[in-house]
């Protein structure tokens, strides 16, 4: 079962991995997030508990299918899905967990890392870097710390002339309400309760989630609980989506998938559930069955 990343993500977002797993003999389930595609509801009004309960229901739905091996349904979550993975594991009791580019930091720390990298803070002159960090900190004060919107507006007015400064989302934008809803989420507390075999995967060039600090914190949490098997895989140079980008100063070339991805994920999952090598000629036929909650 493929968990969603952030934003309005539908089943299309997992097509690449779902097809790759299906060719290896897995039944792959990707579904529309609340309020996206053919799903009802509104993901912007939901918190992590609600989104995780949807994923746990998907695990139960797939597990009930007669063509699916009993007790062998696992989950894959990328980005925000990687954050949700341990909570889904607690609610849905999957056979295995793959958390891809999932943060092991607090929500505020993770978003700070992401926004500072999007502004290119590390490449700015010292004075501008200090200004940018103060601006981002003010945004986090509002999004995750409960400060009024005016606090962010005041910070933006100080830097609005800088080329890296971006306009604020309107006060009514879902970014603020959703951020406040998930601000207290403790991902490490969730990992301490996961017993299922777990694989973490990160791109070492990820600018949205800090790879090695996240891996270290999650490992400590998982290994301090009832966990049974734990592995971490890093893909050198890969970004948040496990893509390698050409040298900006070199000849034009398209980004490419990091070597070994997604094969490493599929091999690990197959080994974990005991999928025989001859099962590797699975069908990619798509089932469009309604899933009932």
């Amino acid at each position: 079962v493929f968990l969603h990343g952030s934003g309005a993500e539908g089943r299309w977002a997992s097509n690449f991995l779902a097809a790759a797993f299906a060719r290896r003999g897995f039944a792959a389930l990707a579904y529309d997030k609340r309020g996206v595609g053919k799903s009802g509801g509104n993901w912007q009004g939901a918190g992590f508990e609600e989104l995780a309960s949807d994923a746990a229901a998907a695990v139960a739905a797939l597990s009930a299918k007669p063509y699916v091996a009993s007790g062998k349904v696992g989950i894959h979550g990328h980005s925000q899905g990687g954050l949700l993975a341990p909570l889904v594991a607690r609610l849905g009791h999957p056979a295995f967990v793959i958390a891809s580019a999932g943060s092991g930091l607090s929500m505020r720390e993770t978003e700070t890392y992401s926004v500072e990298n999007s502004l290119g803070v590390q490449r700015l002159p010292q004075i501008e870097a200090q200004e940018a960090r103060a601006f981002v900190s003010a945004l986090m004060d509002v999004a995750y710390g409960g400060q009024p919107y005016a606090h962010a507006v005041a910070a933006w007015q100080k830097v609005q002339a800088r080329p890296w400064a971006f306009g604020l989302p309107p006060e009514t934008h879902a970014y603020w309400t959703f951020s406040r809803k998930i601000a207290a989420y403790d991902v490490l507390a969730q990992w301490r309760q996961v017993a299922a075999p777990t694989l973490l995967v990160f791109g070492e060039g990820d600018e949205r989630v800090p790879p090695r600090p996240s891996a270290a914190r999650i490992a400590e949490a998982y290994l301090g609980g009832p966990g049974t098997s734990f592995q971490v895989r890093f893909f050198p140079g890969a970004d948040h989506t496990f893509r390698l980008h050409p040298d900006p100063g070199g000849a034009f070339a398209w980004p490419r998938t990091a070597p070994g991805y997604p094969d490493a994920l599929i091999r690990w999952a197959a080994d974990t559930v005991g999928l025989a090598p001859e099962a590797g000629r699975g069908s990619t036929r798509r089932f469009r069955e309604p899933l009932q909650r």
Side-chain angles (χ1 to χ4, degrees):
V1 173
F2 291 88
L3 316 184
H4 302 109
S6 60
E9 195 167 282
R11 68 190 75 181
W12 50 266
S14 297
N15 277 350
F16 172 71
L17 280 181
F21 270 83
R23 286 192 295 269
R24 183 60 177 81
F26 286 85
L29 172 58
Y31 60 100
D32 295 333
K33 185 185 283 192
R34 293 184 180 206
V36 179
K38 295 185 178 181
S39 286
N42 179 9
W43 65 267
Q44 294 178 329
F48 278 176
E49 287 281 348
E50 292 88 350
L51 296 177
S53 70
D54 292 346
V59 172
L62 187 59
S63 299
K65 298 302 178 185
Y67 48 80
V68 173
S70 176
K72 294 190 176 183
V73 174
I75 59 174
H76 172 280
H78 174 257
S79 193
Q80 188 180 98
L83 277 169
L84 284 173
L87 178 54
V88 176
R90 180 170 65 80
L91 298 175
H93 308 292
F96 63 87
V97 177
I98 300 176
S100 168
S103 180
L105 281 63
S106 72
M107 299 301 96
R108 176 173 180 142
E109 290 173 317
T110 303
E111 186 74 347
T112 297
Y113 177 85
S114 177
V115 177
E116 286 188 356
N117 281 329
S118 72
L119 296 181
V121 170
Q122 299 295 333
R123 299 182 293 275
L124 293 176
Q126 183 177 0
I127 292 178
E128 288 192 48
Q130 292 173 349
E131 292 175 344
R133 290 191 177 98
F135 172 57
V136 174
S137 180
L139 298 185
M140 299 306 106
D141 288 342
V142 177
Y144 298 96
Q147 291 291 320
Y149 184 71
H151 180 66
V153 172
W156 177 78
Q157 289 173 340
K158 293 178 181 178
V159 300
Q160 58 182 307
R162 295 298 193 187
W164 42 261
F166 57 85
L168 298 176
E171 187 173 7
T172 56
H173 196 278
Y175 172 78
W176 307 108
T177 54
F178 187 75
S179 297
R180 290 173 185 135
K181 192 181 290 285
I182 66 172
Y185 180 68
D186 187 343
V187 67
L188 299 182
Q190 300 299 329
W191 278 116
R192 292 187 192 102
Q193 301 179 64
V194 176
T198 292
L199 171 67
L200 301 186
V201 288
F202 294 96
E204 288 199 326
D206 193 337
E207 293 190 342
R208 306 280 77 83
V209 169
R212 291 190 176 270
S214 292
R217 295 190 192 185
I218 294 172
E220 183 179 12
Y222 178 93
L223 297 173
T228 55
S229 175
F230 184 84
Q231 292 186 31
V232 182
R233 173 71 183 266
F234 294 98
F235 290 86
D239 67 7
H240 189 62
T241 60
F242 299 91
R243 303 283 280 171
L244 297 174
H245 294 267
D247 184 347
F252 173 80
W254 292 107
R256 58 190 177 90
T257 300
Y261 180 90
D263 295 339
L265 284 62
I266 298 169
R267 284 197 304 270
W268 177 86
D271 290 344
T272 298
V273 299
L275 184 64
E278 59 269 21
R281 296 288 183 228
S283 169
T284 57
R285 181 164 57 101
R286 286 178 169 81
F287 294 88
R288 300 195 179 277
E289 306 173 45
L291 296 179
Q292 302 296 327
R293 287 295 307 274

